[in-house]
Amino acid sequence: MKNIKKHFEENGFGVLNDILPRAKIENIYQNIMVDIIKCAKELNCSLESYLTNVTRWLHPSPVTESVRVFAETVLKEIACHFIGEEVKLSKFNIISKSAYANGAIPCHQDIAYSDGEPYEFSLWLPLQNVTLQEGALEFLPKSHLGEIESAVDFWQPNFVDKIFLSSDWQENHIAVPVQVGDAVAFDARIWHRSAKNESGQNRFAIVTRWSRINYRSTC
């Protein structure tokens, strides 16, 4: 854990391998899907249609409630142990890059989109194995040490991902495949993205946002 934290501090991200039992994660995913199916039925639409239009569930919601205690206890213990201090949970999401909505997420810095409640780092927990084909997270090492850029609406039709097209990104970015039971820790300031899910399978993750108790944002 000490070596991973050092890599995290120097590069802005780190992978915690085999941090949780696979069976536990698979059970969490099954519960999430039960709740998603309920939501689709309540809206009188197919699961395909629902997952085409909904890719993120911010807590509190009917889909995230089954994960709440897990996030507030088990993941909090992992976050505290990793960072070496007491931490607080700022917020958490369940996200999907499903077979029905599989597009890439452009390069961005999370902290630029959280000015109302800035947090320090994330724990990203895959609910399926994520290879390059499923759209693994990609990071630009050490970019958390640079400037924080203004938030940009990267869903606007005319948006151009200049960071992705830059020589710095093309030459230095690192993709991070992970297995069920792993977690990715990354600084809220680091430039990152995820590629298109080309597998034809669902790719879900739990993303929790954390800060040390005495954290003060510099943005």
Side-chain angles (χ1 to χ4, degrees):
M1 188 74 76
K2 185 181 294 185
N3 289 338
I4 299 171
K5 186 184 177 187
K6 182 179 179 182
H7 187 277
F8 167 83
E9 291 171 343
E10 293 178 352
N11 295 281
F13 68 97
V15 180
L16 288 68
N17 296 117
D18 298 321
I19 202 73
L20 288 160
R22 184 183 185 95
K24 174 69 175 177
I25 302 305
E26 291 174 345
N27 183 62
I28 288 172
Y29 175 63
Q30 290 170 3
N31 291 336
I32 288 171
M33 287 307 301
V34 167
D35 291 332
I36 286 175
I37 290 169
K38 286 180 181 177
C39 288
K41 288 181 177 178
E42 288 175 1
L43 293 170
N44 196 28
C45 68
S46 67
L47 180 62
E48 176 181 349
S49 178
Y50 183 82
L51 289 177
T52 298
N53 292 281
V54 183
T55 60
R56 181 180 298 267
W57 299 264
L58 176 63
H59 187 73
S61 82
V63 175
T64 61
E65 183 56 35
S66 66
V67 181
R68 178 180 59 81
V69 173
F70 173 72
E72 293 175 349
T73 57
V74 176
L75 295 185
K76 181 177 181 180
E77 182 178 354
I78 291 171
C80 287
H81 183 54
F82 171 70
I83 212 69
E85 296 182 38
E86 186 69 17
V87 298
K88 59 182 178 181
L89 178 62
S90 296
K91 58 184 176 179
F92 77 89
N93 306 322
I94 294 170
I95 60 174
S96 74
K97 193 186 288 281
S98 71
Y100 312 110
N102 65 344
I105 302 297
C107 295
H108 63 284
Q109 294 171 295
D110 283 347
I111 199 166
Y113 299 86
S114 300
D115 55 347
E117 189 181 0
Y119 53 86
E120 194 169 3
F121 68 98
S122 297
L123 282 181
W124 192 93
L125 189 74
L127 302 184
Q128 289 85 28
N129 293 341
V130 181
T131 67
L132 297 182
Q133 189 178 23
E134 280 81 30
L137 289 175
E138 300 175 4
F139 298 99
L140 184 61
K142 303 185 187 302
S143 59
H144 66 303
L145 304 175
E147 294 184 2
I148 298 170
E149 302 289 343
S150 299
V152 175
D153 178 11
F154 47 67
W155 297 123
Q156 61 179 304
N158 297 323
F159 172 75
V160 176
D161 193 346
K162 295 180 180 179
I163 299 297
F164 175 73
L165 295 174
S166 70
S167 58
D168 190 15
W169 180 274
Q170 294 298 320
E171 294 170 8
N172 298 308
H173 82 275
I174 295 177
V176 184
V178 285
Q179 303 289 310
V180 172
D182 296 343
V184 184
F186 58 94
D187 193 293
R189 300 167 295 175
I190 193 170
W191 283 98
H192 64 288
R193 72 184 290 268
S194 62
K196 183 178 180 180
N197 179 2
E198 305 276 9
S199 70
Q201 303 298 317
N202 290 339
R203 194 213 75 176
F204 279 72
I206 299 170
V207 189
T208 52
R209 317 295 195 178
W210 304 91
S211 297
R212 290 170 294 174
I213 297 299
N214 297 320
Y215 170 68
R216 296 290 182 271
S217 173
T218 57
C219 70

